Amino acid sequence: MSMIKKITCAALAAFTMSAGVFAAGQQPVNGSSRMEQAAVGQAVQIPSPIKEYKSVQSVANAVGFAPLTLAGNEHYTLIACETIDKMAQLVYKESDVKNNNRLMIRKAAAAELSPRALSGYYSDNWMPVIIGRTVVSVTTDDGVNYAAYWRSGLYSYSVNASEMTGNSFIGTLASLVGQTEAERGY
């Protein structure tokens, strides 16, 4: 377990104890407030910011722009159409392989979210790669899972991939960046 996770777990445990949040079946200590006593046995849930939709068009209607899609790629199947606030998120799974190869493509208005923040991947090892006329930042921790982000026009984009080769990722990324350049009219 990483140091950050250990600290986070310890901080969460300390918070829950000081706030009077008890695991199911535990009894509050004498002197606990009524609100603390009412929380006994009830799980606290934070609502998910992810909203699911039935189609890419529904996502477009929700965020006000067309999401970036894997156009004409028969190797992947769209498995989730989602939004997180004003960000479009499409998730694909590789169709012709029996593993967990996935691609997550995100798009947001650049004024709303920077490309790096959009990626959701917090690494210091980003490498600039020029694809077409666009500088794309790419990273990997293990040579199997990749992330990339870039900005084109008024939008920020990111792609995260799991269980993929570097060449395959760059090929897919080139196709997606090409679409964003075509939208700008290069």
Side-chain angles (χ1 to χ4, degrees):
M1 185 181 287
S2 75
M3 179 60 95
I4 292 173
K5 286 183 181 176
K6 286 180 186 175
I7 291 170
T8 303
C9 290
L12 180 60
F15 169 76
T16 56
M17 295 304 281
S18 68
V21 179
F22 304 95
Q26 288 184 332
Q27 296 300 316
V29 241
N30 289 338
S32 296
S33 71
R34 286 186 189 178
M35 193 160 108
E36 290 171 341
Q37 290 176 4
V40 174
Q42 294 179 7
V44 177
Q45 294 184 353
I46 298 171
S48 173
I50 299 173
K51 293 183 182 170
E52 296 180 13
Y53 293 86
K54 300 272 186 211
S55 69
V56 173
Q57 185 58 52
S58 297
V59 170
N61 293 343
V63 295
F65 54 81
L68 181 59
T69 63
L70 273 179
N73 191 322
E74 66 278 355
H75 296 293
Y76 286 88
T77 303
L78 182 63
I79 60 170
C81 299
E82 303 166 332
T83 63
I84 302 174
D85 295 322
K86 287 292 188 179
M87 173 183 69
Q89 175 173 286
L90 302 180
V91 182
Y92 293 84
K93 183 174 184 195
E94 195 166 7
S95 333
D96 51 354
V97 179
K98 292 185 179 179
N99 58 17
N100 204 22
N101 294 11
R102 292 180 189 260
L103 278 171
M104 181 173 60
I105 303 170
R106 292 177 167 177
K107 179 179 177 181
E112 297 286 326
L113 202 55
S114 74
R116 186 171 181 170
L118 182 66
S119 76
Y121 196 88
Y122 301 100
S123 171
D124 291 328
N125 300 321
W126 293 96
M127 180 175 58
V129 176
I130 297 174
I131 300 177
R133 296 180 177 199
T134 304
V135 177
V136 180
S137 296
V138 179
T139 192
T140 182
D141 280 340
D142 54 11
V144 177
N145 299 300
Y146 294 87
Y149 67 83
W150 69 100
R151 182 177 173 169
S152 184
L154 300 175
Y155 297 99
S156 296
Y157 300 90
S158 77
V159 178
N160 293 7
S162 63
E163 298 185 29
M164 196 177 242
T165 67
N167 288 339
S168 182
F169 181 69
I170 293 297
T172 301
L173 190 56
S175 172
L176 292 168
V177 170
Q179 287 180 55
T180 66
E181 288 184 350
E183 289 175 6
R184 286 193 67 191
Y186 284 122

